[in-house]
Amino acid sequence: WHQAFVRPNRPTNYDANIPDAATPVVRNRMEAAHTALLNDYATFIAAERGVAKFIKDVIQEVWYHELHDIDTYYTHVTAYDLLRHLETSSGGLHATDLVALPAEMREYYATAAGIPEYIEALEEARRKLKRGDLPMTDGQVLAIASTSVMASEHFPLANDAWEALPPAQKTWAAWKTKFNEAHRGRKRLLKATGGGGPFGAANVATSNVNATIEAALNNLANAATNDNTTITTLVASNQQLTTALAALSAKLDAALAKPGAPPLTTPTIPRTPLTTAQKLEKFTKDGYCWSHGYRVGKNHTSATCTNRKEGHKELATRADIMGGKLYNLGWETK
């Protein structure tokens, strides 16, 4: 209401307004109200000291050194005293600073941590220009923001959608809403893929590229080792099969040589199906791979899959298969 709050005085330790003849109920009520008043004042003092410390931390001492006391330093200097002193002693931005500010705004995107921080930096610069009687219109700040973001190529889809809008819908408020949404989507993508780094810099640092290459080479080495092991096992199995077939052939020849012998039947090897416990030990019931479906090993996911089909999506999970394969759906209940 255009008036300053009244600065409270320190209340007494005890409420002197409590009558000596007050009933216990009245005394308890008045003491409770006075205790609340003491707590409120303690909160005020804590906030006062916190704000004063904040001001002294963010502003160079040269601007408020005149308030320094030789004995108490700044102990008794309140945040109110600091602000009043700065208001009268600080001349604000110089005209040359105001003229250079719009040019500096074009560089904000390169050092911003994200779209929300970038928007706040632009808005703060607009507030400075307004205080210096050089206000910037929505159209001007929109031109700076859209040009900077388009040049970065961080949000190609959002930029295309923005350019497709009719001129009447291209407002500063609409831009903030659209690119805040695009920022959240890009942030989720970078988090999922392990990207990151400065917002205005390259999406993936060299160390990340080297790590990705090293992981790929390790996967190839593991695949080669697995292939060699598989080949060795196959060779041994084929040798055993050859021996078994030779023995069976000999039995067949001997049976055919005997007149009136009953026809020889090929023995079958019974195949014992896996139990539910064996399945759960070998496969994970919560697993999913976009290329291989629902029954996968414990360390096999869409992200770790090394034998991917065309169109493979690393972010696919059992909760969101993203159009992936339906192989072995419901295997854990069969």
Side-chain angles (χ1 to χ4, degrees), residues 8-320:
N9 296 319
R10 179 185 295 276
T12 59
N13 292 332
Y14 185 77
D15 188 359
N17 295 319
I18 300 177
D20 294 339
T23 63
V25 173
V26 172
R27 182 178 300 278
N28 289 339
R29 288 176 178 173
M30 296 185 70
E31 287 180 349
H34 193 72
T35 300
L37 182 64
L38 291 172
N39 291 336
D40 287 345
Y41 184 77
T43 302
F44 165 76
I45 291 299
E48 171 73 46
R49 292 175 179 172
V51 174
K53 182 180 184 303
F54 172 77
I55 295 173
K56 287 183 288 186
D57 287 344
V58 300
I59 297 178
Q60 295 180 359
E61 186 178 358
V62 65
W63 295 105
Y64 56 83
H65 185 71
E66 295 177 15
L67 300 177
H68 178 271
D69 185 271
I70 192 171
D71 295 321
T72 61
Y73 299 96
Y74 298 104
T75 303
H76 299 304
V77 178
T78 66
Y80 178 79
D81 297 332
L82 288 167
L83 291 175
R84 287 295 300 272
H85 178 76
L86 293 172
E87 185 179 8
T88 57
S89 62
S90 177
L93 288 175
H94 191 270
T96 55
D97 298 323
L98 294 172
V99 171
L101 191 54
E104 295 176 3
M105 293 169 67
R106 299 188 183 96
E107 307 298 327
Y108 284 177
Y109 186 78
T111 57
I115 288 293
E117 292 80 4
Y118 177 56
I119 292 174
E120 176 57 30
L122 293 177
E123 295 285 14
E124 175 60 22
R126 291 186 70 189
R127 289 190 286 269
K128 291 180 180 179
L129 290 170
K130 185 177 181 180
R131 290 196 297 268
D133 293 328
L134 289 175
M136 175 177 284
T137 65
D138 282 357
Q140 290 173 303
V141 72
L142 175 60
I144 293 174
S146 59
T147 301
S148 298
V149 174
M150 185 180 298
S152 73
E153 299 183 355
H154 286 153
F155 306 98
L157 297 179
N159 282 323
D160 291 343
W162 177 258
E163 292 300 318
L165 292 175
Q169 296 183 18
K170 291 182 178 180
T171 64
W172 174 230
W175 190 94
K176 290 189 288 186
T177 299
K178 177 172 287 295
F179 282 88
N180 265 321
E181 293 176 355
H183 165 81
R184 288 191 290 270
R186 181 175 184 270
K187 188 175 181 180
R188 288 192 294 268
L189 177 61
L190 290 177
K191 184 177 182 180
T193 58
F199 186 76
N203 291 345
V204 182
T206 304
S207 59
N208 288 337
V209 174
N210 292 338
T212 302
I213 294 175
E214 183 178 357
L217 293 176
N218 288 337
N219 289 337
L220 288 175
N222 290 335
T225 302
N226 292 336
D227 287 345
N228 289 336
T229 303
T230 302
I231 291 173
T232 302
T233 303
L234 286 175
V235 169
S237 298
N238 286 339
Q239 186 174 0
Q240 294 175 359
L241 182 60
T242 302
T243 303
L245 288 175
L248 181 61
S249 179
K251 290 182 179 180
L252 179 60
D253 291 340
L256 293 176
K258 295 179 181 179
L264 184 65
T265 58
T266 303
T268 58
I269 301 175
R271 182 177 180 181
T272 304
L274 294 176
T275 64
T276 301
Q278 290 173 327
K279 290 180 181 178
L280 294 178
E281 182 179 356
K282 185 176 182 180
F283 308 109
T284 173
K285 64 180 180 179
D286 297 324
Y288 180 78
C289 172
W290 192 95
S291 296
H292 298 92
Y294 288 82
R295 192 170 70 178
V296 293
K298 295 184 180 298
N299 297 322
H300 188 157
T301 66
S302 297
T304 62
C305 179
T306 58
N307 186 18
R308 305 179 179 187
K309 299 184 183 299
E310 185 178 356
H312 183 89
K313 293 181 174 58
E314 289 188 348
L315 301 181
T317 63
R318 182 173 284 234
D320 182 9

